[in-house]
Amino acid sequence: MLLQNLYNLGARRVIVTGTGPLGCVPAELAQRSRNGECAADLQQAAALFNPQLTQMLQGLNSELGGNVFIAANTRQMAISFITDPQRYGFITSKVACCGQGPYNGLGLCTPLSNLCPNRDVYAFWDPFHPSEKANKIIAQQILTGSSQYMTPMNLSTILAMDSQT
């Protein structure tokens, strides 16, 4: 297992991110959505994967006798700004800032793409990736988020613990 190899090579703190909100990215909306709803099957897959990842990491930590591997539930982090974009200062979480087709969800971001006038008000930069502002929200949750987002602890807690040793 790759994670065990990291530990054997000397890694003592590793943050492992789960999958994001696969069914809600503009690429999937462009291909599957009629009214902007997320693709339920992909959302279900992500909802199943992330808790299993956390459980696997907790088992590995038990074997190793410490909190080496930290799970970051990025799907849960992103769902908050996808379901309520205005609360985070976004005008939309459905349309990418840069892309083509429905929801700007087709193709790559190229000079021929539609480009939004202000990327800070879009949750997604392109058909797959969060915008810089959305990534800052995710990074803040990794740093200070509750156990809803980070298991067994957030990065601030890790840093505080490790500074005492």
Side-chain angles (χ1 to χ4, degrees):
M1 171 191 274
L2 175 64
L3 295 176
Q4 186 71 42
N5 289 339
L6 287 173
Y7 182 80
N8 292 339
L9 292 171
R12 293 299 177 261
R13 298 285 190 207
V14 179
I15 295 178
V16 182
T17 59
T19 185
L22 301 176
C24 298
V25 299
E28 292 303 328
L29 297 181
Q31 295 177 44
R32 297 173 172 233
S33 182
R34 294 177 188 262
N35 299 310
E37 73 281 356
C38 298
D41 58 336
L42 294 175
Q43 284 301 93
Q44 181 63 24
L48 292 171
F49 176 83
N50 288 322
Q52 290 178 31
L53 174 66
T54 299
Q55 185 176 13
M56 182 196 73
L57 295 176
Q58 287 173 327
L60 190 53
N61 284 340
S62 291
E63 288 176 28
L64 298 173
N67 292 317
V68 176
F69 298 101
I70 312 299
N73 189 337
T74 51
R75 176 190 173 271
Q76 196 62 37
M77 294 172 191
I79 285 299
S80 54
F81 63 74
I82 286 173
T83 57
D84 191 3
Q86 287 75 26
R87 179 176 170 212
Y88 295 87
F90 298 121
I91 59 169
T92 182
S93 62
K94 301 195 181 304
V95 179
C97 178
C98 186
Q100 298 117 42
Y103 305 100
N104 271 349
L106 301 176
L108 301 173
C109 182
T110 70
L112 300 177
S113 297
N114 299 314
L115 185 61
C116 69
N118 180 359
R119 65 182 177 216
D120 288 336
V121 295
Y122 284 74
F124 286 93
W125 164 247
D126 67 13
F128 298 99
H129 302 100
S131 65
E132 181 179 358
K133 182 177 177 180
N135 275 319
K136 285 180 182 178
I137 293 167
I138 293 168
Q140 187 63 44
Q141 292 295 357
I142 289 172
L143 188 62
T144 62
S146 70
S147 59
Q148 175 185 11
Y149 305 117
M150 299 295 294
T151 306
M153 65 191 87
N154 62 39
L155 185 55
S156 292
T157 303
I158 294 168
L159 294 171
M161 287 176 50
D162 288 353
S163 70
Q164 296 173 0
T165 58

